[in-house]
Amino acid sequence: MKLLEKTSRIYLLASLFIYLAVGIAFYWIITFMIYDEVESRLMVEKRDFETYIHSNNTWVNNSYFVENKIEVVPVVKIQDKTAFTDTLIYNRYEESMDPFRQLTFYTMIGGSPYRVTIRKSIVESYKLIEAISAAMITFLALLMIGMFVFQRSLSGKLWRPFYDSLAKIKDFDWTRNKKLELSASEISEFNELNEVMLKMSSKMQHDYKSLREFTENASHEIQTPLALINARVEQFIQSKDLSEGQTHWIEEIYHAARRMSRLNQGLLLLAKIENQQFTEQEEMDLAALILLRLKDFEDIILHKNLTVKTEQTGKFIKIISPALADILVTNLLSNAIKHNYPDGQLTVTAGKDFFIISNTGNALKAAPDRLFERFKKESNGAESLGLGLAIVKQICDNYDLQIDYQHVDSLHSIRVFA
Amino acid sequence: MFPESEAIFGADQFLEMKVLVVEDEKGLAESIVEYLSREGFVCEVANTFWQADEKISLYQYDCTIVDLTLPDGDGFNIVQTLKKIAAATGIIIISARNTLEDKIKGLEIGSDDYMTKPFHLSELNARVKSLIRRRNFGGNNDMVWKEIRVQLPSRKVFVNEKDTVLSKKEYDLLLYFLSNIDVALTKEAIAEHLWGDHMDSSDSLDMVYSHIKNLRRKIIEKGGKDYIQSIYGIGYKFTAP
């Protein structure tokens, strides 16, 4: 939810609540005042009536008038009770029931007990209440809408620098050399925020740069001595009088150096992918790419006598670094071939937004979900580094690609999908 | 044309060819120089940017091997200077930087080849020779070793002047051997030469074995001698028996 929307909603909800509360309170106050007025007038009439009875000691019921009607009914016993009640009386001209407020009390007239009811119409008062209520509702609603619109436009204006900065921060790419630039605002909080963001961004750029330099320097510093070992071994094996033991040692040194070099390169590649150093991106069709790269493995497929089946049903378009796309498919293919039996099968199925590489091979010894972890390798052979699938996973993570592994008997399938 | 019977290929063709090695790691520079000198090249070393800069402005080289990361400068600048003042020189970059950007940049500014450290000296040797051959003879000369003759432009191989049909990999393998005569080559170096480094598995070593077997058979079938000698635990050597 957007900030503006959120504040608007809260404002709307709060004002609606207040609006209702004020409306109800107002209604009750007006009703109370009208009743109070009517009742005090009824009390005055009661005093008038009592004064009249006191002086005349008789009453003639004249029931013709609808309003200000005084009804005197004889009763058996006098009660010491005075009460106000609401009642409806039939209006014979308008043929409607009109609301009345009545005061009932008991008194002695000419020595016998009577119940006296004085009534007063409150139909006019009700009309008044309606009119006042309608006016109030209209004005309050207008006020509320006005406030709402004002608050909205004010918030929009106040938060503008914030949204400007936000858009700029979103566009900011710390892998590039361009510094983050934020415009100053009148509001000091936003300026403070901008300052903090600027500091953070330049720190990020700096850290990223030094990390990048470090990985590159580390690569160089390690690869150069390895190159020297390699070169010296190559020179050493040229000598004609090597004993079998010496040959064995030199072979081991050579393999260890090569292994270390490849480990170094693999870990560096992983670090670079993690640091998102592959910034150049293109729209690639991974389905076509995997079938293209399969051709590079022709020799080894022929050598292992693998039966290859391919099927392409659609395009797997992805915006990805071409170098990483290559590494992704090459690693998976190489993996499927390396762990295949001689005379085994290799199936590549590619279609819209997915590809599946299936190969025959020995059952996994490790848990399948740990397959994509670093240094989790199936064979203990010196050739296997245990980085290939970790690199694949890292590339998939970086580009929001899903990857899963399934196996049926001796058929292993790795599926990559968007 | 050289007489067929003698060992004229290898050292002789590149005799007195001058190579400059620009590499700050002294041991590595020394290794390269020793290895290439055996092949008949005359090598000089520059350990710093300024030494290299001085040498290329004073002397002519047939080939320059340049390391990109030097303590006092960038190897790319040497390549650019070379392109300006000595366009005939072949340039091979050797670098620990293996990013695509560096490789593309290296080739764009005019280097002929780019090798990532660590590399095999036999591979470097083969590439230097191939580069000089391309530059000096336009790739049009034949490679001749005893009874084997390789017609480079048409990729044809003759043993005792009999046409010998080789597969693409067998041809590449033969060329690699012919560029490294009398040199012990590791199985890994051969595999990397044939398939690049992404094929690093025990399978590729088996494949090397089967390709060598086939190449050997095809040469012998046409009446050639068996020049491919196995070295236990290490690899192979192409040499006169």
Side-chain angles (χ1 to χ4, degrees), chain A residues 180-194:
Chain A
L180 179 66
E181 276 169 6
L182 300 171
S183 37
S185 114
E186 286 176 350
I187 298 158
S188 59
E189 279 90 341
F190 288 156
N191 281 336
E192 267 173 52
L193 183 72
N194 285 355

Side-chain angles (χ1 to χ4, degrees), chain B residues 32-86:
Chain B
I32 295 170
V33 168
E34 282 169 20
Y35 200 96
L36 292 180
S37 300
R38 263 175 52 119
E39 299 287 316
F41 292 104
V42 178
C43 300
E44 280 191 46
V45 176
N47 290 124
T48 62
F49 181 85
W50 291 113
Q51 270 181 28
D53 201 52
E54 193 185 302
K55 279 191 194 289
I56 57 174
S57 53
L58 288 178
Y59 310 108
Q60 285 272 325
Y61 297 95
D62 296 288
C63 180
T64 308
I65 297 165
V66 187
D67 181 16
L68 285 186
T69 324
L70 296 167
D72 54 348
D74 193 339
F76 281 131
N77 293 336
I78 295 176
V79 177
Q80 278 165 332
T81 316
L82 269 172
K83 277 282 136 193
K84 246 180 265 160
I85 62 171

